[in-house]
Amino acid sequence: MAESKRRILVADDDPDLLELLKMDLGFQGYEILAAANGKEALQLAINEKLDLILLDVMMPYIDGYHVAYEVTNKLGQKAPQIVIMTSRDTTREKGIAMMSGAVEVLQKPFEMAALHAKIAEILARRPA
C-alpha cells in the first residue's frame, strides 16, 4: 500500500515566502495547502485533514495566535501540530504561542534546512 503524503498548511501573508514554502516543501514530498490570511487559514485548518500548520503571526483578518487557538479548541486531539512563524522576538512570543496551542515557534528569517529538520522532528512525534 502506498504511503500517503503528509499534509501541511502554510499560512503567511507574504506572497513571496508563501510561494517559496509551497514549492520547497512540495519538493520535500509534502502535500501543501496555502492560505494568505488568517480567515483562509482557519477555514482550511478546520475543514481539511492536516498533519501540520506553519502559521505566521501577523496576518490580515485573524492573527496566527487566534487561528491556532480556534483550531486547537475545535479539533481537540485531532488538531494538527502547529508551528508559529514570527519575526518578533521568539523568547517573548513562545509563551503566547504555547498557550494558543502551538508546539513550536520559529524565528523568521530561518534557514530552509532548519525548517526541514523541525518539520521532520514534529511529524515524527505523530504517526501518519
Side-chain angles (χ1 to χ4, degrees):
M1 187 164 94
E3 187 178 317
S4 63
K5 287 184 175 186
R6 301 302 287 265
R7 300 182 86 209
I8 298 175
L9 169 61
V10 179
D12 200 302
D13 62 334
D14 177 339
D16 294 333
L17 181 58
L18 191 60
E19 193 59 34
L20 172 68
L21 291 172
K22 280 172 38 181
M23 286 181 14
D24 181 78
L25 295 174
F27 287 140
Q28 296 297 316
Y30 301 110
E31 182 180 338
I32 305 302
L33 287 80
N37 62 61
K39 190 175 176 183
E40 285 178 20
L42 182 57
Q43 217 169 20
L44 286 167
I46 298 297
N47 295 322
E48 297 286 339
K49 184 176 178 344
L50 301 168
D51 296 294
L52 179 74
I53 302 174
L54 295 176
L55 190 58
D56 184 28
V57 172
M58 296 182 284
M59 290 188 295
Y61 306 116
I62 305 172
D63 72 45
Y65 293 131
H66 189 86
V67 171
Y69 180 79
E70 289 294 322
V71 168
T72 304
N73 280 326
K74 283 188 176 78
L75 298 180
Q77 293 293 330
K78 295 181 180 181
Q81 300 291 294
I82 300 171
V83 175
I84 294 286
M85 303 183 296
T86 183
S87 55
R88 297 175 177 172
D89 178 10
T90 55
T91 307
R92 295 179 63 190
E93 298 291 314
K94 191 164 188 143
I96 299 167
M98 298 303 142
M99 288 188 320
S100 71
V103 295
E104 294 284 345
V105 179
L106 193 60
Q107 176 81 45
K108 288 181 183 179
F110 46 80
E111 297 279 331
M112 293 307 283
L115 176 64
H116 298 161
K118 185 59 66 184
I119 289 172
E121 174 193 322
I122 291 168
L123 291 177
R125 297 176 195 167
R126 261 194 195 170

